Amino acid sequence: MSRNDVGVYQLSNGYWGFRYALMADGIRKECKMSKDAFGNPLKTKKAAIKARQLEISRVKLGIINNDVPQTKKTVSDVYTEYCNVGRIGKAYATIKKQDSLWNNHIAASFGNKQINSISVAEIQDYLATLYYGENRAYSYVESFLKMFYLIFGQAYSRNYLDVDTYNKLCVNKDTKIHMPKMKVDDDTDIVTFSKVEISALNDYFTGTNAETAFLLGRYCGLRINECYGLKWNNIDLENGIINIDRQMQYQEGLIKLVSLKTRNARRKIYMCNRLKDYFIKLKNSVSEYEEKYFLQRQQNKTVITDIDGSSLSSLELVNSLPNGKIQTVNSMKYHTQKIKSLYDIAFKYHYLRHTYGTYLAELNTPLHILCNQMGHANSQVTQRYYIAMSENGIKELVNNLERI
């Protein structure tokens, strides 16, 4: 290790972090960080070395100047500045979610407060009230935690927070703001369908307008937005590959094809033979529909905006109906209610994705392969499928117990 490498280390997710400890005027300052001054992750060793050097220089300068007070800003000032210059390129859904959390909740409680006057205890009490007092879902409360990290990171990058305050709020393991302890009865488990339920679902969806969507969820683990945003030219029938590169969303009341949830969501899905055969037959059927329902298809087709801003006919989507009418992410709502009444199965399309991931994990699919097929940005998310307690997993456990 060279001298420049001191204090730099690689994280389990492949990114980098750094630590330092300084003594100046009898004061010891120490810190561990995994992001640069702008809140961005350190993707390379070189970036971590540079960030460490800059941070040490900044701290030393602060000590020399006796920690000159930062520019005074309210939380509202910081969030407004973030909206104007800090979230360029963010997904539409992300912007909408952030604004909803801010306008409906955070602004009233923290908007007028000075950013450098907020304590860890204030944030912890606020999160606890949301979770325990208002009975908000655990995952929903996590969205607030992320918002606070975002706001404090924005303030730190603009020099509205000193390094010690930022470290106390967002970095140091023993002091930083964190989620309340999860309730004992909170259910955040992976939800999967049993073989009996899958069989019932297969019987139900066969021959319906939602059969294609069901099979894409069952055999590919697609998110519902990815499913309904799938175009025919993204299916390679010869090689049995589906290219996932966009998703369907409603934006300002309009149906659009937009960028995927994350960069890693862009991926190639490999089809099993049953799904490949299904799409070959469906493709042939579409050719028949084009002739049989030509006038209806021309009348019923919907023109939507594609990911590049160009116009796209709904007839190019895999899940358009034979008569040309478009199907959207809302098309599954009817089936959810119908399945509940017929089979007493709590059906959510996303549970097909859970089932797909869990079954592949049970079959000892290598972690990196499953992570790729699921389109996860973090392998820790994928690992949840390996520890999910599915029906098959429980049977295997019982068999092993008997062998003991």
Side-chain angles (χ1 to χ4, degrees):
M1 180 179 291
S2 67
R3 189 174 182 82
N4 286 338
D5 291 336
V6 175
V8 173
Y9 55 92
Q10 191 167 22
L11 305 171
S12 59
N13 61 7
Y15 289 164
W16 289 79
F18 64 85
R19 63 172 67 89
Y20 64 82
L22 298 176
M23 288 294 297
D25 296 330
I27 300 174
R28 179 179 175 84
K29 290 183 177 277
E30 56 182 285
C31 177
K32 291 175 65 176
M33 298 185 71
S34 58
K35 295 183 179 180
D36 62 18
F38 300 98
N40 301 313
L42 301 169
K43 297 183 179 181
T44 64
K45 183 177 182 180
K46 184 177 180 180
I49 293 172
K50 182 178 179 180
R52 182 176 184 272
Q53 292 171 341
L54 289 173
E55 192 63 25
I56 290 175
S57 298
R58 187 175 183 277
V59 174
K60 286 181 176 179
L61 182 62
I63 293 171
I64 293 172
N65 289 294
N66 198 27
D67 290 326
V68 177
Q70 309 296 308
T71 304
K72 291 186 177 181
K73 293 283 185 176
T74 64
V75 178
S76 182
D77 292 334
V78 175
Y79 185 72
T80 299
E81 186 173 19
Y82 164 73
C83 293
N84 292 334
V85 299
R87 65 180 184 185
I88 297 173
K90 292 289 185 182
Y92 175 86
T94 299
I95 293 173
K96 283 295 185 182
K97 184 175 182 179
Q98 289 174 349
D99 285 344
S100 175
L101 293 174
W102 173 258
N103 294 325
N104 297 324
H105 299 280
I106 299 175
S109 299
F110 293 92
N112 294 327
K113 293 187 176 183
Q114 294 291 324
I115 190 71
N116 58 2
S117 70
I118 299 174
S119 67
V120 172
E122 283 182 272
I123 306 295
Q124 293 299 152
D125 291 344
Y126 182 72
L127 297 177
T129 299
L130 289 172
Y131 184 51
Y132 298 121
E134 300 180 13
N135 289 315
R136 304 281 184 175
Y138 191 83
S139 58
Y140 184 60
V141 178
E142 282 184 311
S143 300
F144 286 86
L145 178 64
K146 292 176 182 178
M147 277 287 286
F148 284 118
Y149 278 134
L150 181 152
I151 291 170
F152 290 131
Q154 175 74 11
Y156 178 61
S157 70
R158 300 287 173 176
N159 207 34
Y160 307 147
L161 278 181
D162 63 77
V163 64
D164 288 339
T165 301
Y166 176 72
N167 287 341
K168 184 182 294 183
L169 288 164
C170 302
V171 179
N172 292 338
K173 183 179 179 181
D174 295 332
T175 65
K176 69 178 182 179
I177 55 177
H178 56 271
M179 282 295 291
K181 186 176 181 181
M182 187 180 292
K183 301 172 187 175
V184 174
D185 57 350
D186 237 355
D187 182 12
T188 59
D189 292 338
I190 297 291
V191 179
T192 62
F193 296 118
S194 67
K195 287 188 175 181
V196 172
E197 289 172 329
I198 283 291
S199 178
L201 292 173
N202 190 70
D203 290 342
Y204 170 81
F205 280 107
T206 298
T208 68
N209 291 333
E211 182 177 9
T212 302
F214 167 71
L215 294 176
L216 285 169
R218 180 183 177 186
Y219 292 119
C220 298
L222 296 192
R223 301 177 176 93
I224 191 168
N225 298 64
E226 296 171 343
C227 168
Y228 284 103
L230 185 63
K231 299 164 60 176
W232 273 112
N233 63 9
N234 285 96
I235 298 180
D236 181 353
L237 291 175
E238 182 177 351
N239 296 304
I241 294 174
I242 298 177
N243 292 295
I244 305 299
D245 64 358
R246 66 200 69 200
Q247 63 176 337
M248 178 184 287
Q249 272 188 2
Y250 279 94
Q251 294 188 358
E252 307 297 338
L254 299 176
I255 303 170
K256 296 182 179 181
L257 298 188
V258 299
S259 299
L260 294 167
K261 185 178 179 181
T262 64
R263 183 181 302 173
N264 293 72
R266 186 183 181 95
R267 63 200 188 277
K268 290 183 178 180
I269 299 287
Y270 293 87
M271 293 187 282
C272 62
N273 287 332
R274 178 175 179 181
L275 187 61
K276 183 178 177 180
D277 291 342
Y278 173 83
F279 273 116
I280 291 174
K281 293 178 182 178
L282 182 61
K283 185 67 173 177
N284 292 332
S285 297
V286 170
S287 299
E288 295 176 8
Y289 300 151
E290 290 174 346
E291 181 177 348
K292 184 177 181 180
Y293 302 113
F294 177 78
L295 294 178
Q296 292 184 44
R297 288 169 67 85
Q298 292 304 307
Q299 185 179 67
N300 292 329
K301 69 180 181 181
T302 302
V303 177
I304 62 177
T305 303
D306 205 349
I307 192 171
D308 59 358
S310 62
S311 296
L312 174 75
S313 168
S314 59
L315 301 180
E316 296 182 45
L317 299 176
V318 171
N319 281 287
S320 63
L321 298 178
N323 64 5
K325 290 187 176 180
I326 192 172
Q327 290 198 92
T328 72
V329 293
N330 292 325
S331 300
M332 199 59 70
K333 291 182 178 179
Y334 165 80
H335 300 288
T336 297
Q337 298 171 354
K338 193 71 174 177
I339 290 168
K340 181 65 177 177
S341 64
L342 290 176
Y343 304 101
D344 195 28
I345 296 176
F347 176 80
K348 288 185 179 180
Y349 188 83
H350 203 71
Y351 293 168
L352 292 172
R353 177 173 167 82
H354 286 181
T355 305
Y356 168 83
T358 303
Y359 280 12
L360 286 182
E362 286 178 349
L363 295 171
N364 297 319
T365 303
L367 177 60
H368 67 284
I369 297 295
L370 180 54
C371 185
N372 176 270
Q373 290 295 278
M374 299 297 292
H376 287 152
N378 191 329
S379 62
Q380 290 182 348
V381 178
T382 313
Q383 287 174 347
R384 296 173 61 202
Y385 294 99
Y386 287 87
I387 61 177
M389 294 296 288
S390 66
E391 180 186 67
N392 291 341
I394 293 173
K395 286 182 178 179
E396 187 65 25
L397 170 64
V398 172
N399 288 337
N400 289 339
L401 290 173
E402 292 299 326
R403 292 172 65 184
I404 291 178

